[in-house]
Amino acid sequence: MAVERTLSIIKPDATRRNLTGKINAVFEDAGLRIVAQKRTQLTEAQAGAFYAVHKERPFYGELVSFMISGPVVLQVLEGENAVAKHRDVMGATDPKKAAPGTVRAEFAESIEANSVHGSDSLENATNEIRFFFAETEIVG
Ligand code: ADP
Ligand code: MG
């Protein structure tokens, strides 16, 4: 296994309920290190471009609206096998299907307002990190 970096987003449903610290504790307890973090309000253009892979899906418009409905916390997480480890502790997209103890099982409100985003491959992680962070903002 190699040390990897992955992109995490704490979504507006979670920042609204003041859950940043509780979610960060799940990541840190899993051995992931937060090596960059910034709270921001995404623009419609940023959210639309970030989720462009989902453009053809029926929920795309609602997803973009949701992602700009409040602040998000953008993060780079680092650790052994970080991409898969992060996906594991996030849980399934649909919180009803997420394993107990995962972030989505504990905190998500719905399949859309599901509290967190995580890159789904190392290649996407690299691109998603670059979308939001300059190399100088990441301190390992
Ligand atoms: P994941 O975030 O688990 O990688 P996807 O990449 O498939 O899931 O979807 C991106 C995001 O779009 C999800 O996290 C969720 O916020 C939203 N989403 C996914 N499926 C649905 C759906 N059927 N209805 C509404 N929103 C959805
Ligand atoms: Mg995804």
Side-chain angles (χ1 to χ4, degrees):
M1 276 192 296
V3 174
E4 297 174 350
R5 286 177 175 176
T6 193
L7 184 84
S8 168
I9 306 177
I10 300 180
K11 295 183 179 182
D13 67 286
T15 60
R16 180 167 45 75
R17 288 174 290 147
N18 211 21
L19 292 170
T20 299
K22 287 195 172 118
I23 292 173
N24 281 349
V26 174
F27 296 157
E28 291 182 339
D29 288 348
L32 295 162
R33 186 173 292 274
I34 302 162
V35 295
Q37 176 167 260
K38 56 189 176 191
R39 181 173 166 110
T40 189
Q41 171 66 53
L42 294 180
T43 65
E44 188 169 4
Q46 274 178 311
F50 182 76
Y51 277 120
V53 307
H54 297 308
K55 220 172 207 155
E56 306 308 325
R57 295 173 81 174
F59 57 80
Y60 174 73
E62 277 189 19
L63 175 60
V64 171
S65 298
F66 163 62
M67 290 299 289
I68 65 173
S69 67
V72 296
V73 179
L74 306 169
Q75 309 175 307
V76 181
L77 306 182
E78 185 180 86
E80 289 281 340
N81 208 19
V83 174
K85 188 178 276 181
H86 182 222
R87 297 284 302 190
D88 276 355
V89 297
M90 282 167 51
T93 308
D94 181 352
K96 293 195 205 97
K97 296 179 184 154
T102 60
V103 171
R104 283 165 166 171
E106 297 301 312
F107 301 121
E109 292 182 326
S110 67
I111 192 168
E112 177 182 83
N114 60 3
S115 302
V116 280
H117 165 86
S119 308
D120 63 6
S121 69
L122 193 53
E123 186 188 356
N124 286 340
T126 303
N127 292 332
E128 291 179 2
I129 290 168
R130 203 173 285 143
F131 187 85
F132 285 122
F133 287 93
E135 196 54 44
T136 51
E137 294 178 296
I138 306 169
V139 184

